[in-house]
Structure formats: C-alpha cells, structure tokens
Amino acid sequence: MNLPVLAAAIIFWLAAWAFNEWLVRQKFESDIANSAARFAVPLLFGITILVLWEGVVRGFQVPSVLLPAPSMIWQRLINSLPTLGADFRQTFLKAVLIGYALGCGLGFAVAILIDRSPFLQKGLLPLGNFVSALPVIGVAPIMVMWFGFDWQSKVAVVVIMTFFPMLVNTVAGLAAASHMERDLMRTYAASWWQTLVKLRLPAAWPFIFTALKINSTLALIGAIVAEFFGTPIVGMGFRISTEVGRMNVDMVWAEIAVAAVAGSAFYGVVALIERAVTFWHPSIRGGRA
C-alpha cells in the first residue's frame, strides 16, 4: 500500500471540496465572474474525482486489469487516436447521428398524424408504449440479421429506440395548449395548421426537447450495444467487447471516455438549441435549464 499517494489524493479532494463549497456561495458583481464560477465548480469536481481515482488505485495498488488509473487510460487514449477516431466515425457519425435524425424525425411526423386521427391515437400509442419497453439486446440481433453487419443495422436499432420517446412526448406536448387558447384561435378563424404552427407547436417545444435530450443518450447506448451482436472490425461496441476479451482494460476505458465525451457534447448541443428556441419558457428565463 502506498500511503503517501493515497493521503495526498484525499487531502486534495477535501481541499477542493471545501473550495467548491465556498465558490458556489459567492455572488460576484461581474456576470463574467459568475459564469466562470458556474463553469469552474463542475470542472473542479471532475478533476477531484480523477485525482481521488488515481490516488486510490495507486495507493491500494489495484491491478490494472480490474481498474486502471486515469493516467494509464489517458496514455492509452493518446497512443490510440487513429483507432479511436475510426471507431468514433463508425459508431457516432454514422449510426448515432443518422439513426437519431431518422428516429426523431419519424416520431415527430407520426405524432402530427396521430394528432389528426383519434383512431391512431387510441391504437398506435399503446403499441408504441409496448415497443419502447423492448430491451435493446433483444432487438439488436434481429436488426443485424435484417440489415447486415455494417452501420445500417445499428441505425435501425437507434431508430427503434428514439422513435417512440419522440412520438409519446410530441403527442403529449401537442395536447399541452389549453382549451381557452384553442378557442381564442378559433375566434380568429385560424385553420388547423395555423393553430398547430402558432399555438400548439410552441407549447409542445419543451416536451419535444425533452425527448430530443433523452434520445441523445439512448441513441449512443443503442448503437454501442448493437455492435456487440455483429459489426465490421471497427466501432466503439466492437472495440469494447474485443478488448475486454484480450484483457486490455485501459483501451476499454479509453473507448468509454470517448463515448462519454461525445454523448455529453451531443446532449449539450441539444440543450443549447433548446435555450434558443424556448427562451420564453419559465425554466429558461429562470436560469434553471
């Protein structure tokens, strides 16, 4: 056991925790300083987690096959950039983005059709709730058999996983406008499409963006898991399953780190678009989203 390393990591963690506690209570006169403080708090918290992780692994001399240190993972990541880049292109740029766009777009379009048809609303929504509960490990092998081993089968899995959350949330959002507001639109002799565009869709945007943010993580999870059941010799899921079998755990964690950064960035982009589109919503105006 390496006690000095472990003690140094714990001391750093406690000091950073105390500084964060002080920082979150400060109200600076400058808006730039307040923004910098809001950014520094999670950044410092993440750094303390990594330092504590490093100290625990080195202090207790944990075998790397069980849990590699962050410095070891970073070294593997830097030395494997071409491989990680190829996996990122295969999984994220092809399967995730294409499947996300298709699944969310189809879910939105079908929700508009369902809103126009009470028959579809009563018949398709229960079916959608049933299909959305299907486990991805049951759907992925079937999609691989239908669409082959390349990224097209992963797109199909992502479409299935993102379609129904978008469908259900959009239908709920379209019903969010009150009867009084709809009656007001009728007094203006507004058509169904005018009411949809000017009243019901703006009221539905918070629900739609909730689905978009949920789907941004579901799409990445679905694509990675689908690659466990058949893929060319490239992709995040393929690399994770292969390197685990070879006991190269540092490479597995490097892939996980790339997936985490990509997923967080994707979620952040969707959240920024939400702030621009739904600037009028109380959660945005109150600074809580």
Side-chain angles (χ1 to χ4, degrees):
M1 181 183 293
N2 194 337
L3 287 178
V5 173
L6 181 61
I10 294 176
I11 291 172
F12 178 84
W13 175 65
L14 292 174
W17 186 287
F19 179 73
N20 259 352
E21 286 287 345
W22 173 83
L23 192 60
V24 296
R25 290 180 170 86
Q26 302 306 306
K27 298 296 182 182
F28 300 99
E29 296 181 359
S30 172
D31 291 337
I32 297 177
N34 287 319
S35 299
R38 287 196 298 268
F39 177 78
V41 168
L43 179 63
L44 185 58
F45 181 79
I47 292 174
T48 58
I49 294 297
L50 293 177
V51 171
L52 187 62
W53 179 355
E54 184 85 18
V56 169
V57 170
R58 294 189 180 276
F60 289 105
Q61 298 178 348
V62 179
S64 60
V65 71
L66 296 179
L67 182 64
S71 59
M72 185 178 179
I73 298 172
W74 175 256
Q75 189 67 32
R76 169 65 76 168
L77 193 152
I78 294 300
N79 294 333
S80 304
L81 285 179
T83 301
L84 295 171
D87 294 339
F88 176 80
R89 287 191 297 270
Q90 175 73 13
T91 301
F92 191 85
L93 298 184
K94 292 181 179 179
V96 173
L97 292 185
I98 295 175
Y100 179 85
L102 289 176
C104 293
L106 289 173
F108 179 81
V110 174
I112 299 297
L113 295 176
I114 286 178
D115 185 71
R116 291 285 287 169
S117 172
F119 168 74
L120 290 177
Q121 189 169 4
K122 295 183 181 298
L124 188 59
L125 279 182
L127 179 63
N129 292 328
F130 170 76
V131 175
S132 63
L134 293 177
V136 63
I137 58 174
V139 175
I142 299 174
M143 295 299 104
V144 170
M145 292 175 60
W146 285 2
F147 297 100
F149 287 92
D150 210 347
W151 58 270
Q152 292 86 349
S153 57
K154 316 311 177 289
V155 168
V157 173
V158 173
V159 168
I160 292 174
M161 293 192 67
T162 57
F163 175 84
F164 291 102
M166 175 58 72
L167 173 66
V168 173
N169 277 274
T170 303
V171 170
L174 291 174
S178 67
H179 292 289
M180 183 178 298
E181 293 169 329
R182 298 186 193 183
D183 291 340
L184 179 62
M185 295 298 291
R186 292 192 189 98
T187 62
Y188 292 149
S191 64
W192 183 86
W193 282 106
Q194 290 174 323
T195 303
L196 176 69
V197 172
K198 297 183 178 181
L199 171 63
R200 303 182 67 201
L201 272 182
W205 280 127
F207 294 83
I208 295 172
F209 275 104
T210 296
L212 289 172
K213 290 188 290 187
I214 292 173
N215 285 341
S216 67
T217 56
L218 286 179
L220 184 58
I221 294 171
I224 291 176
V225 173
E227 289 180 345
F228 291 170
F229 298 92
T231 184
I233 55 173
V234 65
M236 292 181 177
F238 165 80
R239 197 72 55 195
I240 290 172
S241 61
T242 302
E243 298 301 331
V244 163
R246 297 175 178 173
M247 306 299 286
N248 294 330
V249 184
D250 54 345
M251 185 62 177
V252 174
W253 279 97
E255 288 283 358
I256 292 173
V258 172
V261 171
S264 300
F266 192 17
Y267 184 96
V269 169
V270 176
L272 287 176
I273 297 174
E274 179 187 21
R275 291 181 67 89
V277 174
T278 61
F279 59 90
W280 48 269
H281 197 266
S283 62
I284 302 299
R285 287 185 285 120
R288 296 188 297 274

